[in-house]
Amino acid sequence: MTARRVLAVSALTTAAVMALAGCAAGSTPASSGGSSKGFSIAFVPKQLNNPYTDVELGGGKKAAAALSGVDYSVVGPNTASASSQVSYINTLTQKKINVIAIAANDPNAVCSALNQAKAGGAKIITFDSDTAKNCRSLFINQVVSKDVGLIEVKQVAEQINYEGDIAILSATANATNQNAWIEFMKADLKSNPKYAKINLVATVYGNDDDTTSFQVAQGLLSTYPNLKGIISPTTVGIAATARYLSTSSYKGKVALVGLGLPNQMREYVKDGTVKAFALWDPAKIGTAAVYAAKALVAGTITGKEGDTFKAGDLGTLKVGADNTVIVGPPTEFDANNIDQYNF
């Protein structure tokens, strides 16, 4: 982590603490309630200090700044445990924040707190990782979950010549988005005849913590020395696993695919540790959440299927089945295109 990065993380953490304490926190602080012309929105990510989350929140902050009268804030835990977000939601409810945008660590653990916020008049948007449907008005999803599962299985299959043992290194055991993608991976591995010689031997969890993910990757290869490939559908997990592989005897022998940030993965693509991985632009999720919040507060949408709203540079977005807005398709990154991306 660079010194610049440390300063950025420290600033974000400080902003969260100050917002909870009811103090001004940066250039776009949270306030109690919204004004007649604007509204307040607080993002509650799965955890702070996560590079992927920082990109998402950056998109939300930029969108809030582009609109008039939006009070933007970020609060959240430093660890991605199931109930760690509850106290933050309760504080936001007391502050009468107009919109709570949350990436849930557990689909049900936060529901009671969110329903209390709704009863107090708050609009609830989920992004990145959903809650149970009855706890929110709208879910901003990166992509169609099935597409994520299929592209990751395709990438690892191609790199191991459609044969051998593979494992999945995910985030937390209760993360809604990761679990949905993993279910589609398992279904594709089981049903697609092209993958008949591929054997999924383990699904393990690094809890979206860099050190834990590094150690879990190390343990995987110790337990399964003949492993041919690892799928890590988490930016923290894939970066930590790439770092381990790059300095081990497994470099170039074990395929690593998953969801990563181009800026974090560039060195591993260029040194041959990783051939290809995938992701979407996380900033678009934050952007979509802010514009959806504006439409919900204004009453121009309720979050029902068929609703549409304008989302700045993203154009007009439409609410689909299960009150879900899909932001965009995944992109595959490799040595040929990774320098075209900067996030």
Side-chain angles (χ1 to χ4, degrees), residues 46-130:
K46 289 191 284 188
Q47 66 180 132
L48 299 178
N49 308 335
N50 179 310
Y52 172 84
T53 298
D54 289 348
V55 180
E56 285 183 316
L57 299 175
K61 186 173 184 179
K62 185 177 179 181
L67 295 173
S68 176
V70 179
D71 288 342
Y72 163 93
S73 64
V74 177
V75 296
N78 288 314
T79 57
S81 61
S83 60
S84 59
Q85 296 165 308
V86 171
S87 63
Y88 295 91
I89 298 167
N90 291 338
T91 300
L92 296 174
T93 301
Q94 293 168 5
K95 290 169 68 69
K96 297 192 179 301
I97 294 294
N98 296 126
V99 181
I100 297 174
I102 181 171
N105 285 321
D106 184 285
N108 299 306
V110 294
C111 276
S112 177
L114 290 177
N115 284 331
Q116 289 182 33
K118 282 200 296 184
K123 307 293 184 184
I124 308 299
I125 294 173
T126 54
F127 69 98
D128 190 40
S129 185
D130 201 10

Side-chain angles (χ1 to χ4, degrees), residues 2-315:
T2 65
R4 185 176 181 179
R5 173 79 185 132
V6 169
L7 288 172
V9 167
S10 298
L12 183 58
T13 304
T14 302
V17 170
M18 293 178 75
L20 277 174
C23 301
S27 59
T28 51
S31 65
S32 297
S35 69
S36 59
K37 295 181 180 179
F39 63 93
S40 54
I41 178 170
F43 280 77
V44 185
K46 289 191 284 188
Q47 66 180 132
L48 299 178
N49 308 335
N50 179 310
Y52 172 84
T53 298
D54 289 348
V55 180
E56 285 183 316
L57 299 175
K61 186 173 184 179
K62 185 177 179 181
L67 295 173
S68 176
V70 179
D71 288 342
Y72 163 93
S73 64
V74 177
V75 296
N78 288 314
T79 57
S81 61
S83 60
S84 59
Q85 296 165 308
V86 171
S87 63
Y88 295 91
I89 298 167
N90 291 338
T91 300
L92 296 174
T93 301
Q94 293 168 5
K95 290 169 68 69
K96 297 192 179 301
I97 294 294
N98 296 126
V99 181
I100 297 174
I102 181 171
N105 285 321
D106 184 285
N108 299 306
V110 294
C111 276
S112 177
L114 290 177
N115 284 331
Q116 289 182 33
K118 282 200 296 184
K123 307 293 184 184
I124 308 299
I125 294 173
T126 54
F127 69 98
D128 190 40
S129 185
D130 201 10
T131 62
K133 186 178 173 181
N134 65 343
C135 306
R136 46 73 170 171
S137 298
L138 202 61
F139 174 40
I140 307 294
N141 199 5
Q142 303 92 331
V143 291
V144 176
S145 293
K146 184 176 182 179
D147 290 349
V148 177
L150 298 189
I151 197 172
E152 295 191 14
V153 171
K154 179 183 80 72
Q155 285 187 328
V156 78
E158 289 174 347
Q159 293 182 38
I160 65 172
N161 294 321
Y162 299 90
E163 186 174 1
D165 291 346
I166 65 169
I168 296 172
L169 194 161
S170 188
T172 62
N174 295 320
T176 313
N177 51 353
Q178 264 94 5
N179 286 341
W181 302 331
I182 290 169
E183 286 305 310
F184 282 114
M185 292 178 206
K186 290 179 177 178
D188 199 28
L189 287 167
K190 184 176 181 180
S191 63
N192 193 327
K194 290 193 302 183
Y195 307 143
K197 295 183 179 179
I198 297 176
N199 182 33
L200 176 63
V201 296
T203 300
V204 295
Y205 303 93
N207 295 328
D208 259 355
D209 176 79
D210 178 76
T211 302
T212 304
S213 298
F214 185 95
Q215 293 169 343
V216 168
Q218 198 172 22
L220 255 182
L221 288 159
S222 175
T223 306
Y224 304 99
N226 296 321
L227 206 61
K228 290 287 192 67
I230 298 173
I231 300 174
S232 186
T234 155
T235 59
V236 176
I238 192 173
T241 304
R243 193 170 76 254
Y244 170 67
L245 291 178
S246 68
T247 57
S248 76
S249 60
Y250 299 104
K251 179 181 177 181
K253 299 176 182 175
V254 175
L256 173 63
V257 305
L259 303 178
L261 292 166
N263 287 351
Q264 280 193 318
M265 298 299 294
R266 183 171 289 107
E267 67 177 287
Y268 304 117
V269 170
K270 294 196 172 186
D271 75 4
T273 303
V274 175
K275 289 184 178 178
F277 64 99
L279 197 66
W280 44 87
D281 184 350
K284 292 181 180 178
I285 297 170
T287 299
V290 168
Y291 281 97
K294 177 187 176 185
L296 284 170
V297 171
T300 55
I301 67 170
T302 62
K304 71 178 186 303
E305 184 174 354
D307 277 349
T308 61
F309 61 94
K310 293 183 179 179
D313 294 340
L314 302 183

